[in-house]
Amino acid sequence: MPTDPATSRPPVTSATAVDEAHPMSEAAVASSSSARTGPRHHLQRPLVRAGVITALVIYAWSFRHTFVDDAYIQFQYARTLAASGTWGFYAGHPANTATSPLNVVLIAAGSLLTGSAVGAAVLLTGVELAVLLWLLLRLSRHLDGNAFFALFAFCAIATNLLIVSTFGLESLLYVVLLVAAVTMMLEQRRTLMML
């Protein structure tokens, strides 16, 4: 005996009625909403990082007229190195009076991008401050998991008059390298720490 299709269907419950009225389930709605917010979320981090680096470069730029005379010795070394490949104050006259070869090399590399040793020092200072903040945030995760330590330590270092008065020199670079070594030690990355 043939059965009536209407009577063979399961009873309609409120949940299935909702599903029929709205064909997308809650999981589908959640995944579609996360898909809509996903690209925006992925863009936020790079934008925040770029904003922080820009702000720190502007902060360093505000001190460009306060560079001490020792910094200009390194700037001249960087100019000579970038222009002629000579390690010295004047092209063709090798000398060894720069206090930080690493800082001179970094400023020389930056001057190839900016066209100016002072501009390179400003850019390098902003990048060093950004790296310092990033390292302190990583370090604070090992101490108490709270970002307060990182932000407090960063502000204390970035506004320290001794550090600010030596922008363009190697002081900030050495602070960054020291914090990097401590962070790598806590993260048990001994090979990176040796570098």
Side-chain angles (χ1 to χ4, degrees):
M1 175 173 185
T3 58
D4 184 12
T7 58
S8 64
R9 291 177 57 192
V12 176
T13 62
S14 60
T16 57
V18 169
D19 286 343
E20 288 175 0
H22 302 285
M24 294 182 69
S25 65
E26 289 181 18
V29 170
S31 66
S32 69
S33 65
S34 67
R36 284 195 301 267
T37 59
R40 186 185 313 162
H41 179 68
H42 290 302
L43 282 175
Q44 284 178 350
R45 265 193 183 168
L47 288 175
V48 168
R49 289 175 182 164
V52 168
I53 292 172
T54 302
L56 292 173
V57 169
I58 291 171
Y59 174 71
W61 181 255
S62 68
F63 293 101
R64 69 192 181 280
H65 296 302
T66 64
F67 290 149
V68 295
D69 54 350
D70 285 349
Y72 281 93
I73 294 172
Q74 295 197 18
F75 297 165
Q76 183 59 38
Y77 264 78
R79 287 187 199 103
T80 305
L81 181 62
S84 68
T86 303
W87 184 261
F89 204 79
Y90 299 108
H93 298 279
N96 197 22
T97 56
T99 55
S100 175
L102 177 59
N103 197 48
V104 169
V105 169
L106 292 174
I107 293 172
S111 68
L112 296 175
L113 295 174
T114 62
S116 161
V118 175
V122 167
L123 180 63
L124 180 62
T125 301
V127 171
E128 286 170 352
L129 287 169
V131 172
L132 177 64
L133 177 59
W134 174 68
L135 288 169
L136 287 169
L137 286 169
R138 289 179 68 142
L139 186 60
S140 68
R141 278 194 304 225
H142 293 282
L143 297 177
D144 59 2
N146 192 343
F148 175 77
F149 162 77
L151 297 175
F152 180 80
F154 174 76
C155 290
I157 294 170
T159 60
N160 183 291
L161 294 179
L162 178 61
I163 299 296
V164 170
S165 68
T166 58
F167 278 177
L169 290 170
E170 64 275 7
S171 303
L172 183 59
L173 177 62
Y174 290 162
V175 170
V176 171
L177 292 176
L178 178 63
V179 174
V182 172
T183 305
M184 294 303 107
M185 183 187 69
L186 289 176
E187 293 181 353
Q188 297 185 355
R189 299 185 181 190
R190 293 179 178 87
T191 305
L192 284 174
M193 186 181 70
M194 288 187 295
L195 297 175

